[in-house]
Amino acid sequence: MPGFELFGPEEKQEVADVMENGFTFRYNFDHMRNDRWKTREMEQLLCEKMNVKHAHLLSSGTAALQTALAAAGIGAGDEVIVPPFTFVASVEAVFMAGAVPIFAEIDETLCLSPEGIEAAITPRTRAVNLVHMCGSMGKLDEIKAVCEKHDLVLLEDACQAIGGTYKGQALGTIGDVGCYSFDSVKTITCGEGGAVITNSETIYNHAHMFSDHGHDHVGNDRGAEGHPIMGLNFRISEMNSAMGLAQLRKLDTIIDIQRRNKRTIKTAMADISEVSFRELPDADGDSAGFLTFMMSSEERTIEINKKLAENGVDGCFYWYVNNWHYLSNWKHIQELKSCSALPITLIENRPDYTKVSVPKSDAIMSKTISMLIKLSWTEEEIAQRIENIKKAFS
């Protein structure tokens, strides 16, 4: 995902402003920072752009996920429904919260299906981690209805989907709490960073305290602050926020370019009879970071993925065999391998992750390829790419 493709003088100026006039720590040191508050400024801009009441920046998208779970009250022994197709952090964060990931089926949106969620619910289920994979959304109306029916926290993992919307509402703002990632290969980047967004004052207050050792952030004397809860250190630095601030101002431009480039390629590929496209519950809200299509069989998908590479069509991902994005390849997750004992090992009737079965998800992902959409392509490069794609299918 392409934020780094639009680095320019704006990012350099914001970082230089911190180095020359500000201070790198996000809190306090008022007398040294000359009223430079890049993190506060980016949080405010996030609230404005996403039309949400609260935003809190953190050191990574993974930190955002773990903070969101804690802030929403999800912890020891709670079951959290997760998809088998996601970046592994979506599952790791649940383990590290002391909670129990429960895998459920996806559908052709590539996100958790309402039926899959319903089938995975038990008396111990407390939350659903709905991951908006590859920049687009699941069936949000139906999923939200399932969560409300069973009184479940709906966490939107929008780490790959900032800039996307559903019926005009920003992805990440529709559930109880949402998360974004701003690492080096996300739609916009802080270098490393993430955010928790929510309309809940309780979740927000828990988030900013949990991510800073429980500090309540009342007053201007850090040493005199209270500590209502325990927490960790997931703070972002002013340097990272400075870069992200410049990037966030470019978000609309980035999304516009992605959508234009994707539309051109998708229109051309619509003439290929054996191709079908990913289901988009709101096509207008797709952030367009990827063009995802399906083939008729696993064998043909493998063949086409190879031919695309041979014909110079780079950035095509066959997620089904990807080490970091599909459950069947996560041996360390299946075997609960870590450098120390995980909290879940204290639960006697914990799931056996070596025996998780998601046949519907396997059937979908074994026939799915996602093509990265770049910002830097010229019209000539896009035309050549289309020609190369058609050669691969010929």
Side-chain angles (χ1 to χ4, degrees):
M1 286 159 278
F4 67 88
E5 291 189 75
L6 287 188
F7 276 166
E10 304 87 356
E11 287 82 0
K12 294 178 183 178
Q13 180 56 49
E14 290 293 341
V15 173
D17 192 32
V18 175
M19 294 180 68
E20 296 167 8
N21 305 294
F23 195 75
T24 57
F25 196 67
R26 74 153 291 173
Y27 296 112
N28 302 118
F29 294 93
D30 299 41
H31 63 291
M32 298 178 63
R33 64 196 316 131
N34 298 307
D35 205 31
R36 266 65 174 184
W37 300 91
K38 302 300 182 181
T39 303
R40 289 184 187 177
E41 195 173 348
M42 186 174 174
E43 287 170 344
Q44 180 59 40
L45 186 57
L46 262 178
C47 287
E48 293 170 3
K49 294 189 75 65
M50 304 306 157
N51 192 27
V52 68
K53 291 180 180 178
H54 305 289
H56 182 65
L57 289 180
L58 302 110
S59 55
S60 70
T62 306
L65 287 165
Q66 191 166 352
T67 298
L69 288 164
I74 307 303
D78 294 332
E79 291 184 354
V80 179
I81 294 174
V82 297
F85 175 46
T86 181
F87 181 61
V88 70
S90 305
V91 180
E92 289 172 329
V94 177
F95 281 120
M96 298 307 167
V100 181
I102 301 295
F103 289 95
E105 297 277 17
I106 65 170
D107 56 24
E108 284 76 9
T109 67
L110 304 189
C111 304
L112 284 168
S113 70
E115 300 81 10
I117 293 170
E118 188 79 56
I121 293 172
T122 77
R124 294 170 58 186
T125 307
R126 290 286 313 285
V128 173
N129 185 5
L130 175 61
V131 185
H132 300 305
M133 277 302 288
C134 300
S136 192
M137 73 298 294
K139 297 173 181 175
L140 272 160
D141 288 338
E142 296 93 326
I143 290 171
K144 192 170 182 180
V146 172
C147 290
E148 290 174 351
K149 173 184 173 184
H150 295 278
D151 193 26
L152 305 178
V153 172
L154 177 55
L155 189 164
E156 289 181 77
D157 181 341
C159 288
Q160 295 186 2
I162 189 170
T165 59
Y166 179 71
K167 297 183 178 179
Q169 190 170 348
L171 297 181
T173 70
I174 296 163
D176 298 283
V177 60
C179 296
Y180 296 133
S181 173
F182 305 128
D183 73 21
S184 295
V185 288
K186 290 300 189 291
T187 306
I188 61 172
T189 180
C190 292
E192 283 287 356
V196 169
I197 56 172
T198 184
N199 286 308
S200 165
E201 187 172 357
T202 298
I203 290 177
Y204 168 68
N205 285 331
H206 285 162
H208 75 73
M209 289 189 288
F210 177 80
S211 59
D212 186 26
H213 300 297
H215 279 263
D216 62 13
H217 304 120
V218 175
N220 295 317
D221 182 353
R222 185 167 176 81
E225 290 176 1
H227 297 82
I229 62 173
M230 289 188 287
L232 297 168
N233 172 14
F234 291 142
R235 295 185 302 263
I236 194 169
S237 82
E238 288 286 276
M239 300 287 279
N240 294 95
S241 296
M243 180 187 293
L245 179 60
Q247 285 268 289
L248 183 55
R249 292 177 182 139
K250 300 177 179 181
L251 178 60
D252 293 344
T253 298
I254 289 171
I255 297 298
D256 286 345
I257 295 171
Q258 284 183 169
R259 287 173 174 167
R260 182 175 67 245
N261 290 350
K262 177 177 178 176
R263 184 167 54 248
T264 300
I265 296 173
K266 185 175 182 179
T267 299
M269 288 186 67
D271 294 334
I272 303 172
S273 60
E274 62 179 315
V275 165
S276 62
F277 295 104
R278 169 191 189 175
E279 181 180 354
L280 300 173
D282 181 358
D284 292 337
D286 176 23
S287 73
F290 291 88
L291 172 57
T292 297
F293 58 94
M294 287 84 166
M295 305 301 299
S296 58
S297 68
E298 180 177 349
E299 294 74 21
R300 181 59 170 158
T301 308
I302 294 170
E303 179 185 11
I304 285 297
N305 195 54
K306 181 180 178 181
K307 286 188 174 183
L308 287 167
E310 291 173 349
N311 282 275
V313 184
D314 64 342
C316 294
F317 299 92
Y318 183 41
W319 303 115
Y320 193 54
V321 298
N322 184 282
N323 281 342
W324 295 106
H325 290 84
Y326 199 64
L327 168 64
S328 60
N329 307 305
W330 296 339
K331 301 305 179 186
H332 62 310
I333 296 290
Q334 295 169 19
E335 299 171 9
L336 297 178
K337 289 186 176 180
S338 185
C339 55
S340 60
L342 296 169
I344 194 173
T345 61
L346 299 176
I347 300 175
E348 291 186 4
N349 60 339
R350 63 183 177 271
D352 182 349
Y353 293 107
T354 67
K355 297 180 179 179
V356 173
S357 177
V358 282
K360 293 180 181 178
S361 303
D362 289 344
I364 292 167
M365 296 310 302
S366 64
K367 297 182 287 187
T368 294
I369 296 173
S370 293
M371 181 184 297
L372 188 67
I373 301 299
K374 297 182 182 180
L375 302 178
S376 56
W377 288 329
T378 64
E379 290 184 8
E380 291 76 16
E381 287 171 330
I382 292 175
Q384 183 62 59
R385 188 174 185 83
I386 291 170
E387 183 177 337
N388 293 344
I389 290 169
K390 292 187 174 181
K391 285 181 182 178
F393 278 92
S394 64

